Amino acid sequence: MIPHTPRVAAAALKASAPRAPRALYATVRGARQPPDHPPEDDPNHANDFILSILRTNPSLRDAKAYLASFGLRPQSIPAPNTQQKVTSHFVISDPISNTAAQPAPAAVAQPSPVIESILDPVYRRTALVKIQGPFSSNQLDSICKGLVYLEKLGLVSVIVVENDEQPRGEEDERSAIIDDVMRVVTGLEKMGSRARPVVGAVVRLGPKSDDSPAPAPGIEPPETHTVPSDLIAIRSALSAGEIPVIAPFALDSFCRSVRVDANDVIAGLARGMVEASSLDQTSPTSAQDSHFEFSREVDLTPLRLMIIDRDGGVPSYARSGYPHLLINLTSEYDHIHDTFDPRWKHSNPTALSNLALANTCLAYMPATSSAIMVSHKSPSSLIGNLITNKPAVSSSLPHALLQGNRSLTPHTPTLIRRGLPIQVLRSIADIDRPKMNYLLEQSFGRTLDEEAFYKRLSKSLDFVIVAGDYAGAAIVTNEQSSNGSEPIQYLDKFAVLPSNQGDGTVDFLWVALHDESYGLGHPFSANPNGGKGGMGEGRDLVWRSRSNNPVNKWYFERSSGHVRMGAWVLFWCDAEKRLKIEEGRRGSAGLSYVEDWEQGRLSDWGNAVLKIPSSWK
């Protein structure tokens, strides 16, 4: 007779329980034990997390954009029955509403949105992350800390691991790759997160049987693809609150798991996750919940692509090999290839291949998505990119300031966006007036005096820079000088649609403006914006702004100087080539002094600019 003890009973129940089907992935836990004091319980760890957020210094627009992606998602409450129709709904941004006058819904047990927001405060999104090693233990700890911080803010990483120094075709290749995956899993768990190794193939080699055309001109479809069942391992990990860490394997035509380049895995996942997410949203079960949707399920659509390696961003010819700060793929991709110095192939051997990966992935990802190429030495940049979606240093700042900025190093991250085409128009006949009118009125919130505005442009237009399909524009005119000198180059309008503010369009447009006006004559102004290609003599650029304009702070940072004139502030940017010549001529002459060509120019500019009539009704 076997004694009936709880241990024996439990073993019997376990033996008789039906076995779950074997999963398509492997979860390895080994003998690792959690640390005695988890990092999240460490005050220093918590303080470091808070400081990392504060250092990003987000603007009000940045905060709103972050909350739009990760904040609470209100939904309408459907009627509890067909007899009574209820139209009231929660409005998070306006707690005082007129819904009190609406008929009260029937007594239905609904979870409190306040309680749910406390228990689960963010809407979780995904990021595709490439960890391109090898890395030392300390370096990997630094990377994992940054990814765990992102998870706390709502961005869950889907990681693909690559080891550049792992030879292909060796006998122990597979076990070595799995070891690299497990090192990342261990590092994430050491930092207080939960992670799951995924060592089965999640993509398939070759095109899809029903392959659709390329998402954009010049974009080649990925070498891999997925079907919905391939994402089961990733979905399972995300639903369990774990970060999936994926080995770079793919299924070939014979259903064999083979090693492939991590870029192929990520490109296939970018496309597959977007397609799977769109299917989830169109599913009839996705809109059945009668209360707020919170982060029980993670949105599969990748919001960011993060490439973490040992080299950092893409070297730039304009910064003596220091990285690009912000890349507009639509207009700069080919130009970056053409200006890539062969010497950089040794210092940054994977820069162009990673740029190509970003070009492919962003073509499938939402227009608001971005990619960042960052060194393991800058993990805090990942938080800054998440909250602000901006480069570490604005690319539209004066070039002299960028060159002397101590925060620019060989490891400064490069932010990459799909961007917009840039074109330069030199004839008023080339302007699409309805689109330009809509842009100006939406941007300024005022009604354009169209007849008077274009009549003035027909006499004074110098050039117009247009971003995309009139998502933004800079209009520059030539104004008559009061002292008979050369015409004054005047920035008449600088406008960006509200829907494109914060997506990089402002910086792309200002850089093009720099290249066509006060930056002419420098090699770093030879950008592919359809204009003069950096050739010519730069001219001072002048503009005015209302003294109470909230944009003035942005203008202060980008201008050479300003002077207040009553209700207006006059800004200007000095021609950079002339400043460079003056700098060399003065040498160590001591204190600055006013040159002959500077005498009286402020009063001349003021007299001309303040007489320009308003463009609004």
Side-chain angles (χ1 to χ4, degrees):
M1 181 177 180
I2 302 176
H4 185 74
T5 63
R7 180 176 298 177
V8 174
L13 288 173
K14 185 175 180 180
S16 62
R19 292 180 179 271
R22 189 171 182 177
L24 297 178
Y25 52 84
T27 302
V28 183
R29 283 289 178 261
R32 296 192 309 276
Q33 297 295 328
D36 294 334
H37 302 284
E40 61 266 26
D41 295 336
D42 183 358
N44 292 329
H45 183 83
N47 291 340
D48 188 29
F49 175 55
I50 295 172
L51 288 174
S52 297
I53 297 175
L54 295 177
R55 288 191 193 102
T56 64
N57 192 24
S59 65
L60 179 60
R61 179 180 291 136
D62 296 333
K64 288 181 178 179
Y66 170 77
L67 291 176
S69 295
F70 296 92
L72 304 179
R73 298 289 178 99
Q75 292 188 348
S76 298
I77 300 179
N81 55 59
T82 56
Q83 304 294 326
Q84 184 178 14
K85 204 168 185 179
V86 182
T87 57
S88 64
H89 58 279
F90 294 107
V91 181
I92 294 292
S93 60
D94 186 11
I96 302 176
S97 63
N98 60 0
T99 55
Q102 302 290 342
V108 179
Q110 299 288 350
S112 166
V114 176
I115 293 175
E116 282 208 340
S117 67
I118 294 172
L119 295 178
D120 204 352
V122 293
Y123 181 77
R124 296 195 296 164
R125 308 293 295 272
T126 55
L128 277 170
V129 180
K130 176 186 177 185
I131 296 183
Q132 183 176 344
F135 294 111
S136 67
S137 296
N138 289 338
Q139 292 168 348
L140 197 57
D141 285 348
S142 177
I143 294 170
C144 290
K145 179 188 290 187
L147 297 181
V148 170
Y149 284 175
L150 292 181
E151 185 186 23
K152 292 178 183 292
L153 292 169
L155 191 69
V156 186
S157 300
V158 177
I159 302 172
V160 180
V161 179
E162 180 71 288
N163 188 333
D164 290 338
E165 296 181 2
Q166 177 60 42
R168 294 182 179 270
E170 288 194 348
E171 185 177 354
D172 60 345
E173 179 182 32
R174 181 171 294 269
S175 60
I177 292 174
I178 294 175
D179 286 344
D180 288 334
V181 169
M182 292 308 302
R183 285 188 68 219
V184 176
V185 170
T186 303
L188 291 169
E189 293 185 341
K190 179 180 175 181
M191 293 298 159
S193 184
R194 297 168 60 197
R196 176 184 298 183
V198 179
V199 298
V202 295
V203 296
R204 302 166 185 251
L205 287 173
K208 296 182 72 171
S209 56
D210 57 342
D211 214 359
S212 56
I219 302 295
E220 292 293 332
E223 297 289 336
T224 59
H225 69 278
T226 67
V227 297
S229 62
D230 294 331
L231 301 178
I232 290 176
I234 295 175
R235 285 183 182 273
S236 175
L238 296 175
S239 297
E242 298 174 328
I243 296 176
V245 184
I246 302 167
F249 297 135
L251 289 179
D252 64 10
S253 56
F254 297 99
C255 291
R256 296 174 302 192
S257 178
V258 297
R259 180 188 179 184
V260 295
D261 193 286
N263 286 8
D264 293 329
V265 177
I266 293 174
L269 283 177
R271 179 182 181 181
M273 291 169 67
V274 169
E275 292 173 347
S277 181
S278 64
L279 290 176
D280 292 343
Q281 293 171 8
T282 57
S283 171
T285 61
S286 62
Q288 289 181 357
D289 290 338
S290 59
H291 58 278
F292 281 57
E293 279 292 333
F294 290 93
S295 55
R296 301 305 177 197
E297 289 294 329
V298 180
D299 188 344
L300 275 184
T301 305
L303 189 68
R304 297 283 191 276
L305 170 67
M306 298 179 174
I307 301 169
I308 307 173
D309 62 10
R310 293 168 294 176
D311 304 321
V314 183
S316 169
Y317 68 95
R319 297 193 174 87
S320 304
Y322 276 23
H324 284 271
L325 297 172
L326 177 64
I327 292 178
N328 178 349
L329 285 173
T330 302
S331 64
E332 297 179 48
Y333 183 74
D334 292 333
H335 185 67
I336 290 174
H337 277 264
D338 295 339
T339 57
F340 197 83
D341 193 312
R343 292 174 296 179
W344 299 335
K345 293 180 180 178
H346 300 285
S347 59
N348 298 74
T350 60
L352 293 182
S353 61
N354 285 332
L355 183 64
L357 172 65
N359 195 34
T360 300
C361 292
L362 290 178
Y364 291 98
M365 293 161 63
T368 54
S369 298
S370 64
I372 184 171
M373 294 174 58
V374 60
S375 162
H376 65 277
K377 295 184 177 182
S378 306
S380 60
S381 301
L382 300 177
I383 292 180
N385 169 249
L386 172 64
I387 297 177
T388 68
N389 204 12
K390 295 177 182 177
V393 182
S394 175
S395 59
S396 61
L397 289 171
H399 191 77
L401 182 59
L402 289 176
Q403 290 293 84
N405 196 318
R406 292 184 179 180
S407 63
L408 291 183
T409 71
H411 294 277
T412 300
T414 295
L415 182 67
I416 306 169
R417 305 197 71 121
R418 189 189 306 175
L420 298 167
I422 303 292
Q423 58 177 327
V424 179
L425 310 177
R426 302 199 177 274
S427 170
I428 193 172
D430 295 330
I431 300 176
D432 188 322
R433 294 194 182 189
K435 292 181 179 179
M436 180 64 78
N437 297 349
Y438 178 80
L439 165 62
L440 296 178
E441 291 181 351
Q442 289 294 310
S443 179
F444 288 90
R446 305 177 69 179
T447 302
L448 185 68
D449 187 351
E450 184 177 350
E451 182 178 355
F453 178 67
Y454 287 105
K455 182 178 179 180
R456 197 177 77 80
L457 285 190
S458 64
K459 300 177 182 178
S460 61
L461 180 66
D462 189 357
F463 61 87
V464 180
I465 302 175
V466 178
D469 190 17
Y470 287 81
I475 302 175
V476 178
T477 61
N478 287 314
E479 303 298 329
Q480 187 174 359
S481 171
S482 60
N483 59 17
S485 59
E486 66 174 7
I488 300 169
Q489 193 170 54
Y490 174 68
L491 177 58
D492 188 277
K493 294 288 183 291
F494 187 85
V496 175
L497 286 176
S499 59
N500 289 82
Q501 293 174 9
D503 69 354
T505 301
V506 172
D507 279 337
F508 295 143
L509 192 60
W510 192 270
V511 170
L513 173 65
H514 161 275
D515 296 346
E516 291 301 309
S517 57
Y518 63 97
L520 279 176
H522 283 297
F524 50 75
S525 295
N527 290 312
N529 52 32
K532 295 183 178 180
M535 304 299 293
E537 292 294 325
R539 296 168 58 192
D540 299 333
L541 181 69
V542 181
W543 69 98
R544 70 182 184 185
S545 176
R546 293 280 182 184
S547 59
N548 60 350
N549 189 344
V551 181
N552 286 347
K553 177 180 181 297
W554 196 83
Y555 286 151
F556 289 144
E557 295 172 346
R558 281 149 187 82
S559 62
S560 300
H562 69 277
V563 60
R564 297 186 180 275
M565 295 183 170
W568 297 95
V569 180
L570 176 71
F571 294 93
W572 73 90
C573 287
D574 291 306
E576 290 184 336
K577 185 176 179 180
R578 184 173 64 237
L579 285 183
K580 194 71 174 178
I581 295 173
E582 286 296 328
E583 181 183 289
R585 188 177 66 81
R586 291 186 183 186
S588 56
L591 296 176
S592 177
Y593 52 88
V594 177
E595 293 284 351
D596 293 339
W597 54 268
E598 294 178 291
Q599 292 282 359
R601 65 173 186 166
L602 290 182
S603 59
D604 183 30
W605 291 344
N607 291 335
V609 166
L610 296 182
K611 292 177 182 178
I612 297 174
S614 172
S615 306
W616 313 107
K617 290 183 179 179

